[in-house]
Amino acid sequence: MELWFSEFHAPDVKHSIKVKRHLYSETSDYQQIDIFETFEFGRVLALDGNVMLTERDEFIYDEMITHVPMSVHPNIRDILIIGVGDGGVVGQLTRYKTVERIDLVEMDPLVLDACRKYLPENSSQLNDSRVNIYFDNALRFIRRCKEEYDLIIVDSPDPFGPSEGFFTREFYGICYNALKSDGIMVNQQGSPFYKHDAEAMKRSHKRIASTFPVSRVYQAHIPTYAAGYWLFGFASKKYHPIDDLNVEKWLALHLTTQYYTTKLHIGSFYLPAFLERMLEEVEQSC
Amino acid sequence: MELWFSEFHAPDVKHSIKVKRHLYSETSDYQQIDIFETFEFGRVLALDGNVMLTERDEFIYDEMITHVPMSVHPNIRDILIIGVGDGGVVGQLTRYKTVERIDLVEMDPLVLDACRKYLPENSSQLNDSRVNIYFDNALRFIRRCKEEYDLIIVDSPDPFGPSEGFFTREFYGICYNALKSDGIMVNQQGSPFYKHDAEAMKRSHKRIASTFPVSRVYQAHIPTYAAGYWLFGFASKKYHPIDDLNVEKWLALHLTTQYYTTKLHIGSFYLPAFLERMLEEVEQSC
């Protein structure tokens, strides 16, 4: 028997991964959750049929969404993570001894349960004493927070369906208010390649750029995401992602990484001409 | 009816593109040649079932394999291109008025015929008076050349099957001899992500690094290639790809590009940690 998991990266483009075993399949109050054991990518978590992470390439996402802000802000102690509670992002953040508190807000307890059971290595750092897990609606949760966090990481699924609320102007405004006066917000910003993704990315960038004084986009190669080409948003009240990068300080931490380097950090903000033009167009209309 | 063209990016990973029409299918003396009309990627050229180019994303490949060396070397006049004669690379090079001669060596006349007929925009610059087309075995062709070219572009298919000869130590030695004393060779260097590709990339990098005094690798996002993540090799007798980049001179040419920028040029050499380690390992064994 051959079993393949396919995801449409665009209406006429399909990415398929050969499956060893379908380990888990449940419908929660919010979404369809599946975990596959695959030949090439190890275990794969899919929500509503979209790959959220694979054991083989999730290091790229996790490292890029965490080490970029952590190497720029001089003193991150209080962190809020909104989104998929698989633990990969928490795993990177708990490597920093100076971090005092990581609040993780996940809407769906079933995702966390499934990850704890089927991606135990991935979710092991969720037990770190600095981590607080809240099963709540993220908008409601953050609305109560005022100048509380140094860093907010919006680690949400794509801006379609149940996660659409994480890509609105209102949401970014609430995040702004929840950040201290020198806080940083980093979010997954989708892909610029296929038209549907690019439109969503532009909308979301426009909203962030009109909310934060500093708003830049950076990129990474993530093979299992659409077009293998993924973007992150870096929004900040004060710090610039390149000018304020503290290379010596980060290197002195001696953190071994598989993807992130301080040089790649800089390079990830040097974008293709077509994407620069997309972003400029959006920024001019802010 | 639904018609899909699928390519295995790895034995257990498949990339599929929905096809409008199968426009062309011939078996030449060397390979199977197909051209598809697709919904998302426009026309697609496949050799032996592997995507060589699509109208939608080939600008990335063409711009990165040409403008990187063109913006580093101060005076490129004589160029040799080895490989797929679709005309995309020639199209970029003919934009430089200072280029005097472009010799294109293509093994298979049928590829050129098919491209001329089905990718006319792509191959239109093949008629530029500076372009000379040779239907020949590239190894035999170059062996006759001594210090003749400023730039050699190895625009070949992957190092498996009929193109394997373009990835040998002997081949790189012949290219070295065919270059003037400050010449540059650029080649497509495969993908570092899937194991089979990564091994081929390391072998080829080792051979280049032990032939040329300067040998660096740079990257680009190419959605239809394996893992969406592609590498190029920059090998040179004299010039360094970043230190010798002449930003002002290149900007003064006012070439409009879709992917290449001089900033992205620099960033494309800042590689992920896992790839840096792969390359260092190889370089230490040279």
Side-chain angles (χ1 to χ4, degrees):
Chain A
M1 184 188 79
E2 281 206 11
L3 189 62
W4 289 81
F5 165 71
S6 292
E7 181 180 1
F8 281 88
H9 280 181
D12 301 312
V13 184
K14 218 164 39 178
H15 190 260
S16 308
I17 304 174
K18 198 171 171 185
V19 170
K20 269 187 198 169
R21 260 195 325 149
H22 194 172
L23 293 172
Y24 177 90
S25 186
E26 287 289 343
T27 308
S28 75
D29 291 343
Y30 306 98
Q31 56 208 335
Q32 170 68 26
I33 309 165
D34 291 283
I35 297 178
F36 301 96
E37 177 82 43
T38 73
F39 291 89
E40 179 66 41
F41 288 97
R43 295 196 172 179
V44 175
L45 169 69
L47 297 181
D48 286 337
N50 300 310
V51 171
M52 286 300 112
L53 72 89
T54 83
E55 285 184 320
R56 172 79 168 84
D57 72 349
E58 72 150 328
F59 68 98
I60 304 171
Y61 182 93
D62 293 340
E63 291 187 12
M64 290 304 280
I65 209 167
T66 55
H67 299 308
V68 168
M70 292 302 291
S71 58
V72 167
H73 190 298
N75 187 21
I76 290 183
R77 282 177 297 196
D78 298 296
I79 303 174
L80 173 65
I81 305 174
I82 295 156
V84 184
D86 63 273
V89 170
V90 168
Q92 291 300 324
L93 293 172
T94 51
R95 302 175 74 192
Y96 291 86
K97 287 184 187 136
T98 47
V99 167
E100 293 174 4
R101 172 172 61 136
I102 302 171
D103 291 344
L104 171 65
V105 185
E106 161 67 61
M107 177 174 64
D108 194 344
L110 222 56
V111 171
L112 218 90
D113 289 350
C115 291
R116 278 210 155 109
K117 186 157 179 199
Y118 293 101
L119 296 156
E121 203 174 308
N122 201 283
S123 55
S124 64
Q125 296 307 315
L126 292 174
N127 300 323
D128 187 290
S129 63
R130 295 167 291 175
V131 177
N132 312 296
I133 300 172
Y134 300 91
F135 294 110
D136 201 349
N137 174 295
L139 270 93
R140 191 165 54 206
F141 183 94
I142 316 174
R143 211 174 263 127
R144 295 191 295 260
C145 308
K146 296 281 172 261
E147 303 197 10
E148 203 169 321
Y149 297 103
D150 303 298
L151 172 63
I152 296 178
I153 295 183
V154 188
D155 173 24
S156 71
D158 294 345
F160 313 112
S163 299
E164 219 159 339
F166 298 149
F167 292 83
T168 63
R169 195 184 298 268
E170 187 205 359
F171 175 70
Y172 298 128
I174 297 170
C175 286
Y176 184 93
N177 293 335
L179 284 168
K180 296 181 195 167
S181 61
D182 62 350
I184 296 173
M185 180 186 84
V186 176
N187 72 321
Q188 75 95 336
Q189 189 63 299
S191 174
F193 191 75
Y194 297 117
K195 200 175 168 214
H196 188 53
D197 295 329
E199 290 305 319
M201 183 279 291
K202 285 198 278 183
R203 269 198 304 280
S204 147
H205 180 66
K206 182 173 178 169
R207 290 163 185 166
I208 298 174
S210 59
T211 307
F212 284 83
V214 178
S215 169
R216 300 292 298 271
V217 165
Y218 62 105
Q219 62 188 4
H221 292 90
I222 305 185
T224 52
Y225 287 177
Y229 184 10
W230 214 248
L231 303 179
F232 300 91
F234 179 103
S236 156
K237 293 188 176 184
K238 181 177 171 185
Y239 301 111
H240 185 277
I242 295 179
D243 300 345
D244 293 310
L245 166 65
N246 193 331
V247 174
E248 289 71 27
K249 192 179 164 200
W250 193 84
L251 292 177
L253 297 171
H254 297 290
L255 296 175
T256 305
T257 48
Q258 301 300 313
Y259 196 83
Y260 179 84
T261 74
T262 50
K263 266 195 163 180
L264 179 118
H265 173 129
I266 296 168
S268 71
F269 286 91
Y270 295 164
L271 306 174
F274 78 89
L275 177 53
E276 273 191 356
R277 283 197 282 268
M278 269 186 201
L279 297 173
E280 274 162 25
E281 189 191 300
V282 161
E283 286 158 16
Q284 277 161 8
S285 70
C286 279
Chain B
M1 184 189 75
E2 281 207 9
L3 189 61
W4 289 82
F5 165 71
S6 293
E7 180 178 1
F8 281 88
H9 280 181
D12 301 312
V13 184
K14 218 164 41 177
H15 190 261
S16 308
I17 303 173
K18 197 170 171 186
V19 170
K20 270 187 198 170
R21 259 191 331 146
H22 194 170
L23 293 172
Y24 176 90
S25 187
E26 288 289 341
T27 307
S28 74
D29 291 345
Y30 306 98
Q31 55 208 335
Q32 170 67 25
I33 309 165
D34 291 282
I35 296 178
F36 301 97
E37 177 82 45
T38 74
F39 291 89
E40 179 66 43
F41 288 98
R43 296 196 172 180
V44 175
L45 168 69
L47 298 182
D48 286 336
N50 300 309
V51 170
M52 286 300 112
L53 72 90
T54 83
E55 286 184 319
R56 171 81 168 84
D57 72 350
E58 72 149 330
F59 68 98
I60 305 171
Y61 182 92
D62 293 340
E63 291 187 10
M64 290 302 281
I65 209 166
T66 54
H67 300 308
V68 169
M70 291 302 290
S71 57
V72 167
H73 191 297
N75 189 20
I76 290 184
R77 282 178 298 196
D78 298 296
I79 303 174
L80 173 66
I81 305 173
I82 296 156
V84 184
D86 63 273
V89 170
V90 168
Q92 291 301 324
L93 292 172
T94 50
R95 301 174 74 192
Y96 292 85
K97 289 186 187 133
T98 47
V99 166
E100 294 175 3
R101 171 172 62 138
I102 302 171
D103 291 344
L104 171 64
V105 185
E106 161 67 63
M107 176 173 65
D108 193 344
L110 222 56
V111 171
L112 218 92
D113 289 350
C115 291
R116 279 210 154 114
K117 185 156 181 199
Y118 293 101
L119 295 157
E121 204 174 307
N122 201 285
S123 53
S124 64
Q125 296 308 316
L126 293 174
N127 300 324
D128 188 291
S129 63
R130 294 167 291 174
V131 177
N132 312 296
I133 300 172
Y134 300 91
F135 295 110
D136 200 350
N137 174 295
L139 270 93
R140 191 166 52 206
F141 184 93
I142 316 172
R143 210 173 265 126
R144 295 191 294 258
C145 308
K146 296 281 172 258
E147 304 197 10
E148 201 168 323
Y149 296 104
D150 302 297
L151 172 62
I152 296 177
I153 295 182
V154 188
D155 174 24
S156 71
D158 295 345
F160 313 112
S163 298
E164 220 160 339
F166 298 148
F167 292 81
T168 61
R169 194 183 299 267
E170 186 204 0
F171 175 70
Y172 298 128
I174 296 171
C175 286
Y176 184 94
N177 293 335
L179 284 168
K180 296 180 194 167
S181 62
D182 62 351
I184 296 173
M185 179 186 85
V186 175
N187 71 320
Q188 74 96 337
Q189 189 64 300
S191 175
F193 191 75
Y194 298 117
K195 201 176 166 213
H196 188 54
D197 294 329
E199 290 304 321
M201 183 278 291
K202 286 198 278 183
R203 267 199 307 278
S204 145
H205 180 64
K206 182 172 176 169
R207 291 163 185 165
I208 297 174
S210 58
T211 306
F212 284 83
V214 178
S215 169
R216 300 292 298 274
V217 166
Y218 62 105
Q219 61 187 4
H221 293 90
I222 305 185
T224 51
Y225 288 175
Y229 185 11
W230 214 248
L231 303 179
F232 301 90
F234 179 103
S236 155
K237 293 189 176 183
K238 179 176 171 188
Y239 301 111
H240 185 275
I242 296 178
D243 300 345
D244 293 310
L245 166 64
N246 193 331
V247 174
E248 289 70 29
K249 192 179 164 198
W250 194 84
L251 293 177
L253 297 172
H254 298 290
L255 297 175
T256 305
T257 47
Q258 302 299 314
Y259 195 83
Y260 180 83
T261 74
T262 49
K263 266 195 163 180
L264 179 119
H265 173 128
I266 295 168
S268 72
F269 286 90
Y270 295 165
L271 306 174
F274 79 88
L275 177 54
E276 272 191 355
R277 283 197 282 269
M278 268 186 201
L279 297 173
E280 274 162 23
E281 189 191 299
V282 161
E283 286 158 14
Q284 276 160 10
S285 69
C286 279

